[in-house]
Amino acid sequence: MLQKFIDYIKELNILNDDIDIDFSDLAFAYDYNEVQELFFDETKNNYVFITGETGLRKKDMLARICKDLFLRGVEKQDMLYLDYDLPILHGENIFPLLEEFYHSRQLSGVLYLIINEIQELGDWFSFVQKLKTDFPKLKLLCSSSTPPYIFETIYDKQAEYCKIIVLSQKNASNIKYQTQSFGVYKEFKYNQKNDIIEIKGLTKEGKKMSFHSVPETINGLPVKIIASGAFHDRSELLSISLPDSVEMIGDYAFSKCNNLKEIHLPQSLTYIGEHAFLGATSVNSVIGGANVTHIGNSAFYKTKWLENQKDFAIIGSTLYRYNGECGTVLLPREITHISSYAFADTEVERIKSVQEITLGEGVFCRCKNLYDVKIRLNSIPPYCFYGCVKLKTEFSVERVGKFALYNCRSLKAINATTLDTCVLAYAKNLETIEGVYELNDGALFACNNLKELELKHIERIGRFALAKTSIERVKFAGSYIGDFAFCYMPKLCYVNIHHSANISRAILFGCECVCTMHISGKYKLKYYFGGQMPKVTKLYVYGDIVDDFCRNNPYLQELQVLHTEKFGGWSFYNNSVLKTIILTDVKIIGCWAFAYCDSIKSITFPLTVEFISMNAFRYCHNLSEIRLSSKSVVNFGANAFYSTSDSKEFIVAKGMKTQYGATPIWHEYISFICEDE
């Protein structure tokens, strides 16, 4: 990895992204307390995993931990943040970076590694094991938006030092801070929430019991919720009866109940939470649940029921998992919902449905043989077709979620309004994109065949969004461009960025063929290119120009400056091949602005010019024609035209020579002044 990117990573930029890390959201605050309690446990080195689907503020929690570390006195140099939302990290061996970080801070007591989207490391669990053995004083906090890969791997490996914080969409089953009253009914602990009852767990005596029957009502109020974790890891539980009033079973409610053999799902049940029955290995019968529309990630992982299902493991109208081996799949008509990761890592090649289907996240993740999809979609959920390298279906949708078509290298065209983070990164055969209004971080990274993209409707372009594409022309009229947005675009030759746009660092880093640019003067030219001098030959600059804007440029030949009031000093100093200059609505020329520009032979100042600053054209030895169009005498600073051509002429507006002659500063040049015809 280039040192420039290594330095960028080390900046800990998670705190520079305007991330909301306050506690105004009580649900966020409650979940964060769990993260903090595990991560800052000084009795053991917990590796903490914040898992949950996209949009659940995992990155905010990472940022808040970083902020808390600062508040605890931890130095920035003792923290390393790896953000896999940035595609520059993908496929990189980060151990050299990690080793350098670790060994350079030997005198520090504890070091902190923060990773966003750890699954993008590839064999992330081997990485975690190596951390444990080779970097003992390192504490790991990470997030993942692909929960099954985290839940199931840690469960299978029995890695007790890996602690998972489960995040899911907030609903009555998993909001833990809203409790109006608490009580005990028989062996059950319960919460009353408004006019419903939530079964919270078991009493001390209840934990000794093997058989339970949850009541339909308590205190005259219906029991509608089995709370998150209510019966988690109750190995003594052999049987439980749930009333038809229950509508929700929360996250990990019955996980690791390894002696539970059968579950009757209530008639009213619609929601089964994240890994609700994960590790309930003896469950071989799941009955009922006709109205279930949501089954969480890994909800029935390692149950006998799942192993015994045929091609389709269905509860109600929801396909939980596809167990088949067929290449061509026609979805049964009763299916209206497909759970997250239902087809992940299967051998499916073609998929078709005749009915409308609601897809969860990652449904076809890593289906490497999938090439044809005939499902009506208004949007494509995050990770939906991640790694589907043979996929050829051309979608027309509103939004394509995070990583949804990542590495879909056979895809050639798409019509979409919003392209989210890394959504089409490495889609190397992508040629056509239509309808785009929003382009997020890494959205089209390394789409090598993409030569054209209409940007006129796009307001913001994210970090690395178009890096390593083959686009030849960029015309952007929006408000914001993120770091390295256009870096390493080998064919990019024309750039037009509206003067009001805010640009981040090095947006054109590594773009060596840019020859024509329309840009604002508020950023130095080298800033666009990460400190490198570009080979720009034609430059159109709008607005005020900063000092040293384009100093010592050996390539620039043509320049047009528009609507500039503040013309920075040394702005075009020593542009040795600059020949043509057009100035429009310019008032003041900065000091040393064009000094040593030896190729300039003539210059025309517009009507608006009032003052030419000190040394502005000094040592422009070939400057012989200077046109002053103003109806007022233009003043200049010391040596503004020193050592210009001996045969130069100052051509002033008709009738103005007398006024120039009456102005003391022009006396030394009076013999060079003539009037325009």
Side-chain angles (χ1 to χ4, degrees), residues 437-455:
Y437 279 76
E438 186 175 342
L439 206 58
N440 290 307
D441 291 353
L444 297 167
F445 183 85
C447 291
N448 309 118
N449 258 12
L450 185 62
K451 297 178 181 179
E452 295 182 6
L453 181 63
E454 180 59 71
L455 300 176

Side-chain angles (χ1 to χ4, degrees), residues 66-76 78-79 112:
C66 289
K67 185 174 182 180
D68 284 353
L69 287 170
F70 286 142
L71 293 174
R72 289 166 177 253
V74 175
E75 295 183 25
K76 182 177 180 180
D78 289 338
M79 302 161 61
Y112 301 88

